[in-house]
């Protein structure tokens, strides 16, 4: 975060710069899950981005409170979101019929 600007930068394993994406929110936690980056922000948004293009896979989900931590289950079926007030939100992953 430099002068109220946040960005996500992508590098190869060898350190080659591959690209970046400017973010509107301040990232509080993130994890890589398969081919996706799952990010939580202090503004209360849960975002899922493609690992290689950094573009949003779906529109951000509003959690209404700052997100403190996120985790993805081993089977990639759910995202666990810890909020500032201590609540744990469980988000199903997949098509609505699968969830």
């Amino acid at each position: 975060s430099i002068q109220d600007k946040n960005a996500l930068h992508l590098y190869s394993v060898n350190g080659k710069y591959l690209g970046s994406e400017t973010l509107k929110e301040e990232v509080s936690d993130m994890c890589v899950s398969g081919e996706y980056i799952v990010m939580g922000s202090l503004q209360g948004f849960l975002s899922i981005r493609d690992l290689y293009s950094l573009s949003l896979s779906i529109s951000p989900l509003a959690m209404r409170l700052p997100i403190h931590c996120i985790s993805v289950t081993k089977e990639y079926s759910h995202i666990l979101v810890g909020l500032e007030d201590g609540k744990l939100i469980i988000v199903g992953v997949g098509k609505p019929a699968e969830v």
Side-chain angles (χ1 to χ4, degrees):
S1 178
I2 299 173
Q3 299 174 349
D4 297 328
K5 292 185 180 182
N6 299 295
L8 184 63
H9 299 281
L10 181 64
Y11 291 87
S12 71
V13 175
N14 298 327
K16 180 181 175 187
Y17 176 77
L18 299 176
S20 66
E21 185 73 29
T22 302
L23 305 175
K24 295 177 183 176
E25 300 94 25
E26 187 176 348
V27 176
S28 57
D29 194 19
M30 68 186 314
C31 69
V32 175
S33 178
E35 296 184 0
Y36 297 96
I37 301 170
V38 183
M39 299 188 313
S41 72
L42 292 178
Q43 289 73 26
F45 289 99
L46 177 68
S47 304
I48 301 173
R49 293 181 173 271
D50 181 81
L51 179 61
Y52 304 106
S53 69
L54 300 180
S55 63
L56 284 170
S57 296
I58 61 166
S59 57
L61 301 170
M63 298 289 146
R64 298 193 176 115
L65 288 170
I67 296 172
H68 277 248
C69 62
I70 54 173
S71 181
V72 178
T73 59
K74 187 169 53 173
E75 301 83 18
Y76 306 115
S77 60
H78 294 84
I79 300 171
L80 308 174
V81 182
L83 302 180
E84 181 179 55
D85 65 354
K87 290 181 182 171
L88 177 66
I89 305 295
I90 301 172
V91 180
V93 177
K95 297 176 184 171
E98 295 171 356
V99 178

